[in-house]
Amino acid sequence: MTAEQDARGFASKAIHAGQAFDPTTGAVIPPVHFSTTFAQDGIGGLRQGYEYGRSGNPTRTALQTQLAAIEGGAHAFSFSSGLAAEDTLLRAALAPGDEVLMGNDVYGGTHRLVAKVLAAWGIGLRVTDMSDLDAVREALEDKPVKVLWVETPSNPLLRVTDIAGLAALGHEAGALVVVDNTFATPALQQPLALGADVVVHSTTKYLGGHSDVVGGALVLNDDALAEKVGFLQFAVGAISGPLDAWLTTRGIKTLDVRMQRHSENAQAVAEYLEGHPKVSRVYYPGLPSHPGHELAARQMSGFGGIVSLALESGEAARRFSESTRLFQLAESLGGVESLLNYPDEMTHASVRGTEAAVPVEVVRLSVGIESVDDLLADLDRALGEV
Ligand SMILES: *Cc1c(COP(=O)(O)O)cnc(C)c1O
């Protein structure tokens, strides 16, 4: 990036980084490159380093440039899914015998990846409440930790962790500090600037933003770690395909305005739910009643689109989950359309009975960018059926 490009605001970077017009035709939107292989000018004479689709593709390069720019990192890598990105990072950072310390309400699949897959290769896992820095300090003193893994706000309980505080603790203990920034997105929160070493994304969610492409990403500054990650991206091969990369790039261009509207709608939904007699608790960092509200207000530039709520019982939560119409009952989050998820049996079924289990009374909403009155009316009607 030139100094002028680097000085641009977030929305300008999201729209322009990696998106220079096509030099041969002037096409303002760069073409999608489907070619799996690239002609060589004599043996080894590569044009701009492109050789074979797994090692590099111009459409993927464009996305990676855009991702690095919006997260403020030196290196970005895009993958076929969020979990593929996580797996590649953990294999690059860990060796048998190493330990990972993870938040106790991380995405269920992240917990499963370490507990059920990497465990067989000798990786240890402990979990703690990352929003409690004293608990983290104790856990770090207890036993050496190689990777400290946090999601903030967390999924689905929206706990807020002090990234700068956690990074300081982690670095003191010699750990790599990883932040899954899927929920907040770089439009609202910039973990690298707060001291984290690596940002992880499921781009399937807000970055793609339209529930039509699965993908993942890593963004980091350290050159040596980037070399390892780049080697594994190539050697293991969980790359994003050209059309997936292009859809993700297109989504990111509107990330800034989408996150503003997601946050506005979610705030209205959270305030409505907080006043409803059938709702026993609302989890949303934008509410002054949320224990992480002040920290979130400092660390984030908006509170995001995810709202969780607790009803009186598991049965009430299930009934409510099956009663909304505009909020569709489906896994995933971060699309323009509103979704409702019942974590205990859906996204977090894999962590039932573990330390990362979600209470049965909890329902998670991914508040979309529809007209807010329609969203409130849908929730009101569904709560009437509980
Ligand atoms: C969905 C999700 C993941 C996993 O990403 P996939 O793209 O589904 O592989 C990781 N972290 C968080 C916070 C997620 O929401």
Side-chain angles (χ1 to χ4, degrees):
M1 246 190 304
T2 65
E4 186 194 325
Q5 287 166 340
D6 199 31
R8 286 178 181 158
F10 180 84
S12 306
K13 285 179 181 163
I15 291 168
H16 293 288
Q19 293 293 295
F21 66 81
D22 178 45
T24 53
T25 62
V28 166
I29 302 304
V32 186
H33 292 271
F34 288 102
S35 188
T36 57
T37 188
F38 298 83
Q40 308 194 2
D41 297 316
I43 296 168
L46 306 181
R47 297 193 176 190
Q48 297 175 48
Y50 293 109
E51 181 178 31
Y52 176 62
R54 174 160 38 72
S55 58
N57 166 290
T59 308
R60 193 165 89 233
T61 303
L63 169 59
Q64 293 179 159
T65 302
Q66 185 188 31
L67 287 165
I70 60 174
E71 282 289 1
H75 309 278
F77 301 89
S78 116
F79 295 88
S80 53
S81 72
L83 282 172
E86 296 184 11
D87 177 51
T88 301
L89 172 65
L90 289 169
R91 286 204 247 182
L94 297 168
D98 286 342
E99 286 253 336
V100 178
L101 182 64
M102 196 171 267
N104 60 359
D105 59 351
V106 294
Y107 176 72
T110 302
H111 184 276
R112 180 180 54 204
L113 173 65
V114 180
K116 300 246 169 89
V117 181
L118 297 178
W121 273 264
I123 302 302
L125 172 66
R126 281 182 294 149
V127 304
T128 191
D129 178 356
M130 288 283 176
S131 66
D132 177 354
L133 290 188
D134 291 331
V136 176
R137 189 178 294 112
E138 264 172 46
L140 289 172
E141 280 165 6
D142 225 27
K143 221 170 155 198
V145 164
K146 200 66 179 279
V147 168
L148 199 54
W149 189 288
V150 65
E151 267 178 63
T152 179
S154 70
N155 176 17
L157 299 180
L158 287 308
R159 288 200 184 102
V160 179
T161 296
D162 175 355
I163 296 174
L166 192 77
L169 279 180
H171 291 156
E172 216 172 284
L176 185 78
V177 178
V178 180
V179 176
D180 183 331
N181 205 25
T182 298
F183 268 41
T185 84
L188 304 182
Q189 172 173 282
Q190 302 256 316
L192 297 178
L194 293 166
D197 300 303
V198 184
V199 166
V200 173
H201 276 286
S202 169
T203 58
T204 314
K205 315 295 167 54
Y206 288 106
L207 268 52
H210 296 74
S211 305
D212 55 12
V213 57
V214 173
L218 301 174
V219 187
L220 61 151
N221 282 316
D222 184 75
D223 295 338
L225 182 61
E227 199 174 321
K228 282 193 192 170
V229 167
F231 172 74
L232 282 179
Q233 185 194 39
F234 162 70
V236 178
I239 51 159
S240 39
L243 189 57
D244 289 2
W246 182 79
L247 280 168
T248 306
T249 282
R250 187 169 70 166
I252 289 171
K253 290 179 184 183
T254 55
L255 181 65
D256 199 46
V257 286
R258 283 188 287 110
M259 292 315 292
Q260 277 174 19
R261 179 62 73 84
H262 280 297
S263 299
E264 279 169 31
N265 282 1
Q267 183 75 34
V269 162
E271 286 172 8
Y272 162 77
L273 291 171
E274 197 171 41
H276 198 288
K278 287 188 182 160
V279 176
S280 49
R281 187 160 171 196
V282 181
Y283 306 82
Y284 185 64
L287 292 175
S289 61
H290 187 284
H293 176 66
E294 306 265 305
L295 173 59
R298 256 185 288 133
Q299 179 167 277
M300 304 172 72
S301 57
F303 300 107
I306 307 297
V307 178
S308 292
L309 63 147
L311 286 116
E312 263 146 40
S313 62
E315 201 195 323
R318 293 180 56 108
R319 216 170 322 126
F320 171 68
S321 298
E322 294 178 344
S323 301
T324 55
R325 292 180 197 155
L326 196 52
F327 280 86
Q328 296 174 83
L329 180 62
E331 299 203 0
S332 201
L333 56 100
V336 293
E337 65 289 306
S338 292
L339 299 178
L340 183 152
N341 161 54
Y342 181 57
D344 179 60
E345 281 190 51
M346 295 168 64
T347 49
H348 289 64
S350 68
V351 291
R352 257 179 154 180
T354 73
E355 341 61 342
V358 178
V360 295
E361 302 83 16
V362 168
V363 175
R364 186 188 75 192
L365 304 176
S366 173
V367 180
I369 62 173
E370 298 97 333
S371 308
V372 70
D373 289 348
D374 296 333
L375 297 177
L376 297 177
D378 189 40
L379 295 172
D380 194 60
R381 204 191 34 71
L383 281 168
E385 289 177 24
V386 170

